[in-house]
Amino acid sequence: MPIIKGKYGEWVVNSKLQKLGDAYTVFHDVYIPNGERGLTQVDHIVTSEYGVFVIETKHYSGWIFGDEYKPYWTQVIYKRKTKMHNPIRQNYGHVQALFTYIGQAEMKDVHSIIAFSPNSTFKFKKDFTLAHVIQFTELLATIKQYKERRINETTVREINAKLGELLVEDKREKKRLKADHLQSIRKVKGAKQTARPHTGDSKNMSTQVASTLQTTCPKCGGQLTMKAGRYGKFYGCSNYPGCRFTENLNTKQQSV
């Protein structure tokens, strides 16, 4: 049921996006190569001269509680509470994978959108700064509020060509990509579990601390991900631009 509901939500959003008009190009269910995790699955990407929009759909009902920087959000239906991964963090990873793949690391006009089912009720205490968190009915208006042409036509064509290379029509190939994506997720989870120490094992404890230093932002607790910059590779916080912590890959010199 969760898979069916998720696919239905993606279909609803995709149907709405088709109404944007000729100035926009819509890509649906895209698997982007990721140097660290193999593949990253993105629900929708919309490109235009007004900006690029990376959309994560959540076909959830009930009350939705969450904070921009917390690792988990909560769905409440009557007295039942269910945890979900913070979709803002999740979509940030999608945006970073997109930057790497299209070779546009300096592009600023990329907007993260988290689109929930209208059956949900938001119970957020603070506004969000890193993403638009909306319902399906607000999607077109959210995209079209950006009316200034910010990306030149040539760059948009180049981005579309790169994303077009990822489109897969063959059902068997699509199934294989999904399997590879799930396998990469399992590997990451397995690596995290392996890093957990046994009680009283000081050696494993040291390993865990070292691992935490490499993957957790000491400033805000966000996830550190490897990035490629002008001067080489470095670790950057997943909560950027709200948190600007970086760590040099080679020297481990930190700056805030």
Side-chain angles (χ1 to χ4, degrees):
M1 284 300 296
I3 294 176
I4 294 174
K5 288 175 67 177
K7 288 300 177 183
Y8 176 72
E10 291 179 24
W11 176 82
V12 170
V13 169
N14 195 48
S15 299
K16 289 184 176 294
L17 294 176
Q18 299 305 324
K19 300 177 182 178
L20 281 170
D22 296 336
Y24 302 85
T25 304
V26 180
F27 298 88
H28 167 66
D29 195 21
V30 183
Y31 288 84
I32 301 178
N34 183 313
E36 295 179 38
R37 299 185 180 184
L39 292 172
T40 296
Q41 190 269 339
V42 184
D43 293 338
H44 313 274
I45 300 173
V46 177
T47 64
S48 72
E49 293 181 32
Y50 309 104
V52 175
F53 305 88
V54 181
I55 304 165
E56 173 71 15
T57 60
K58 297 294 181 185
H59 194 59
Y60 285 28
S61 57
W63 290 358
I64 307 298
F65 295 84
D67 182 273
E68 197 159 44
Y69 300 107
K70 296 292 178 63
Y72 293 98
W73 287 13
T74 304
Q75 175 196 34
V76 179
I77 300 178
Y78 298 106
K79 294 184 179 181
R80 188 185 69 187
K81 295 182 179 181
T82 305
K83 279 189 175 183
M84 72 178 86
H85 288 284
N86 182 337
I88 294 179
R89 288 189 175 191
Q90 184 180 6
N91 212 36
Y92 178 85
H94 298 163
V95 172
Q96 294 306 306
L98 176 65
F99 279 152
T100 301
Y101 176 70
I102 65 177
Q104 297 285 343
E106 302 299 323
M107 182 181 289
K108 298 180 180 179
D109 299 291
V110 176
H111 309 283
S112 174
I113 299 177
I114 315 300
F116 277 85
S117 162
N119 295 327
S120 62
T121 302
F122 295 154
K123 294 292 183 178
F124 306 128
K125 294 182 178 180
K126 298 179 181 179
D127 294 332
F128 299 108
T129 60
L130 302 179
H132 296 280
V133 181
I134 60 171
Q135 294 181 329
F136 294 168
T137 52
E138 304 169 276
L139 185 57
L140 299 189
T142 299
I143 293 174
K144 289 199 171 184
Q145 71 176 293
Y146 295 92
K147 299 178 180 180
E148 182 181 350
R149 296 180 186 273
R150 304 282 295 176
I151 307 174
N152 65 64
E153 184 179 353
T154 301
T155 300
V156 174
R157 283 202 302 266
E158 290 173 352
I159 294 173
N160 289 345
K162 289 283 290 183
L163 291 175
E165 295 174 2
L166 299 177
L167 297 181
V168 177
E169 299 297 334
D170 183 76
K171 291 183 178 180
R172 290 184 179 180
E173 180 64 13
K174 196 79 169 181
K175 187 175 181 180
R176 185 190 66 78
L177 286 174
K178 290 182 180 180
D180 289 346
H181 174 58
L182 291 173
Q183 184 177 7
S184 65
I185 292 175
R186 293 190 190 102
K187 284 183 179 179
V188 172
K189 289 182 177 179
K192 290 181 179 179
Q193 291 176 351
T194 302
R196 293 175 181 172
H198 297 291
T199 303
D201 192 331
S202 59
K203 182 178 180 181
N204 284 340
M205 181 65 74
S206 299
T207 301
Q208 184 192 37
V209 171
S211 176
T212 301
L213 288 173
Q214 290 185 357
T215 60
T216 302
C217 175
K219 184 179 178 183
C220 70
Q223 183 178 1
L224 295 180
T225 57
M226 190 179 297
K227 309 178 187 304
R230 184 180 301 176
Y231 303 105
K233 293 185 177 181
F234 65 97
Y235 287 104
C237 181
S238 61
N239 291 326
Y240 176 88
C243 176
R244 296 178 178 272
F245 176 87
T246 61
E247 182 179 82
N248 188 278
L249 181 63
N250 297 318
T251 64
K252 300 296 182 186
Q253 293 176 345
Q254 299 176 353
S255 62
V256 179

